[in-house]
Amino acid sequence: MVNRRRNGSRANGRAGRGGVQAQQQQQCKRSPIKALREPAIFSKQSGSASDTPHDKVTLAQARRGTPAHRPVRVYADGIFDLFHSGHARALMQAKNLFPNTHLIVGVCSDALTHKYKGYTVMTEDERYEALIHCRYVDEVVRDAPWTLTPEFLKKHRIDFVAHDDIPYTSAGSEDVYKHIKEAGMFVATQRTEGISTSDLITRIVRDYDVYVRRNLQRGYTARELNVGFINEKKYRLQEQVDRMKETVRTVEEKSKHLVHRVEEKSHDLIYKWEEKSREFIRNFLELFGPDKAWHMIQERSGRVLQALSPYQSPSTSPSSSPTRGRSTSPVSQWPLLRFRSPPPKGASVSSSEGDEGEN
């Protein structure tokens, strides 16, 4: 019995997994991925042109998924001036609220925006064009109303309205989406911190001089930038001063690089000179130091010179033979003189002795 129960539970598990896979495949068929090759369409003034009956869809049904022929129609409105990443992220959240979503974006006109919020940088046509080229948008409503009415929601078959949950105070109302929230048609999205149209305009106003000089450099005239004659000359002069500073900075960088290279070369030369000097001193000590090779060479050369020197003889007596192997003094080089005692009186002296005496 236990095995049967186990086998039965396994079979039920397989059947459950198969049912989930089939449901996933059916959802994929219901919401096929389309390639984005064309911009979104503009909605007609008469509203939605679909002939499909528009039945009310609850939030739970929309989250579970709807058939392919009945997408959940989500509406998001705004000014979208200077269209930036914060706008795109909000539309991405609205598009991904439900498995099968048709995103409708309403853009207010210039007249309505200038009346309730202020002047815009981009015109209404530029803002319309920016929205139809956003990848998350399926349809754009031009000249959208400031406050949503039941007639407008019915005309465009809107199921839910997507916006951030912060109360939007405008047109004498504390929250223009209050009645939408009470009707259960509001779905909240998250704002992107650090980026907004007001922040972008604040950056431009704060660095006004920088952007004026930038556009003057790019060829815009002072008249196009609404800049007076004196301010134009001031900006031109500042541009020249900045160029000179940049040139000086470049020269300084190059000179620093050159000095650094010279220092490296000088360090290398000093190091090589020290090595060569140590080698020279070492070789000198090996050659001329005490009990080294130079003393041995000097001693040997002295012996050789002493052995090869000729015998020294007196200049007055060439026949005399000097003593070999002994050093001769100046006295020894004098002629040898023989001194004899005088003969006794009356004695005869031989001729040879006489001759010798004369000599």
Side-chain angles (χ1 to χ4, degrees), residues 186-253:
F186 186 84
V187 183
T189 58
Q190 299 295 325
R191 291 179 62 90
T192 302
E193 298 296 333
I195 183 68
S196 67
T197 303
S198 299
D199 292 339
L200 296 177
I201 295 175
T202 301
R203 296 179 196 176
I204 297 172
V205 173
R206 180 186 59 199
D207 300 328
Y208 171 77
D209 293 346
V210 175
Y211 291 109
V212 169
R213 290 166 52 188
R214 169 185 178 272
N215 284 6
L216 286 174
Q217 185 181 1
R218 295 193 173 211
Y220 287 88
T221 63
R223 184 182 297 274
E224 292 174 336
L225 298 174
N226 196 21
V227 175
F229 177 79
I230 297 176
N231 288 332
E232 180 188 3
K233 297 304 179 184
K234 182 184 70 174
Y235 294 138
R236 300 287 187 187
L237 180 60
Q238 289 178 352
E239 185 66 27
Q240 293 179 1
V241 171
D242 289 344
R243 289 180 182 177
M244 291 180 62
K245 289 182 179 179
E246 186 66 26
T247 304
V248 171
R249 191 179 297 110
T250 304
V251 173
E252 287 180 354
E253 292 294 332

Side-chain angles (χ1 to χ4, degrees), residues 76-97:
D77 59 354
I79 309 303
F80 302 105
D81 191 21
L82 298 178
F83 189 82
H84 51 75
S85 61
H87 296 143
R89 290 177 66 87
L91 298 178
M92 178 187 68
Q93 295 177 56
K95 179 67 175 179
N96 295 319
L97 286 173

Side-chain angles (χ1 to χ4, degrees), residues 131-201:
L131 264 298
I132 65 173
H133 291 91
C134 179
R135 62 181 297 181
Y136 309 112
V137 179
D138 298 304
E139 186 178 344
V140 173
V141 177
R142 293 174 288 191
D143 193 12
W146 196 261
T147 303
L148 301 179
T149 61
E151 293 78 14
F152 180 83
L153 298 176
K154 184 178 180 180
K155 182 173 68 172
H156 293 280
R157 299 186 175 186
I158 296 171
D159 295 312
F160 298 98
V161 177
H163 199 273
D164 61 84
D165 202 15
I166 301 174
Y168 196 86
T169 304
S170 179
S173 175
E174 295 181 357
D175 189 3
V176 295
Y177 298 103
K178 182 179 179 180
H179 62 288
I180 303 295
K181 296 177 181 177
E182 293 175 352
M185 299 176 62
F186 186 84
V187 183
T189 58
Q190 299 295 325
R191 291 179 62 90
T192 302
E193 298 296 333
I195 183 68
S196 67
T197 303
S198 299
D199 292 339
L200 296 177
I201 295 175

